[in-house]
Amino acid sequence: MKRRQRTTLAIVVAIGIAIFVAVSQGNALTLAECERTTHISHGGERNHRDLGNARVLYAEWWSQEGVYLDLVIADCAAGRALTTRTREEFISQRPPFDRTAKAIDIIETELTAAPALFSLERLATALHPIGRDIEIADLTADPCACAALYPEHRGDRQAFELSQ
């Protein structure tokens, strides 16, 4: 009889855990949800990638009366992000350029060449001849990709909320 009771208890506990996990994951974001338009029809975020070690990459884009693409590499654990413009056309007086593929190659090289030495500052130096307007800043709000992949690293930053 005790064996049957233990088996029944184990099944009830397993079902309870499965329900808890399903409810918890129901509120979880996915990278697919992070692919979104944020400014009517002419701006948004796309191409979200997990870089590992609580780091993510995504592109912010704009396409009204000009085009630009900024790559953002966020260190979710450190609460900092590097942003660099890799494509621009008719946004400023600068000649049009698109260096996105080369910038992504540099990012991937930096991540794999010396993972223990990786830092946003080192990446900024490596991107300097390619990316424009390179900036490293503290995150005040959790980016969507950090919320989706590394919610445990949010700290005291404003939580990301997916707007409908």
Side-chain angles (χ1 to χ4, degrees), residues 43-119:
E45 295 179 1
R46 66 179 186 211
N47 301 332
H48 293 77
R49 289 179 44 193
D50 184 358
L51 300 177
N53 296 319
R55 296 183 194 108
V56 296
L57 166 70
Y58 60 95
E60 292 179 346
W61 59 273
W62 183 265
S63 65
Q64 183 177 10
E65 297 180 18
V67 175
Y68 76 73
L69 184 80
D70 289 347
L71 293 181
V72 180
I73 300 87
D75 186 331
C76 305
R80 300 171 67 221
L82 179 149
T83 304
T84 184
R85 175 126 330 146
T86 61
R87 180 176 179 216
E88 181 179 283
E89 191 171 340
F90 305 117
I91 293 291
S92 69
Q93 297 299 317
R94 297 187 284 211
F97 61 90
D98 186 353
R99 302 173 180 152
T100 306
K102 181 64 176 164
I104 289 172
D105 286 346
I106 290 169
I107 293 165
E108 289 175 347
T109 299
E110 284 295 311
L111 285 167
T112 57
L117 300 177
F118 180 86
S119 71

Side-chain angles (χ1 to χ4, degrees), residues 112-145:
T112 57
L117 300 177
F118 180 86
S119 71
L120 294 178
E121 290 76 14
R122 180 181 162 120
L123 180 59
T125 300
L127 284 168
H128 186 266
I130 301 301
R132 295 284 182 95
D133 308 329
I134 298 170
E135 179 181 307
I136 298 173
D138 291 336
L139 295 169
T140 57
D142 214 22
C144 185

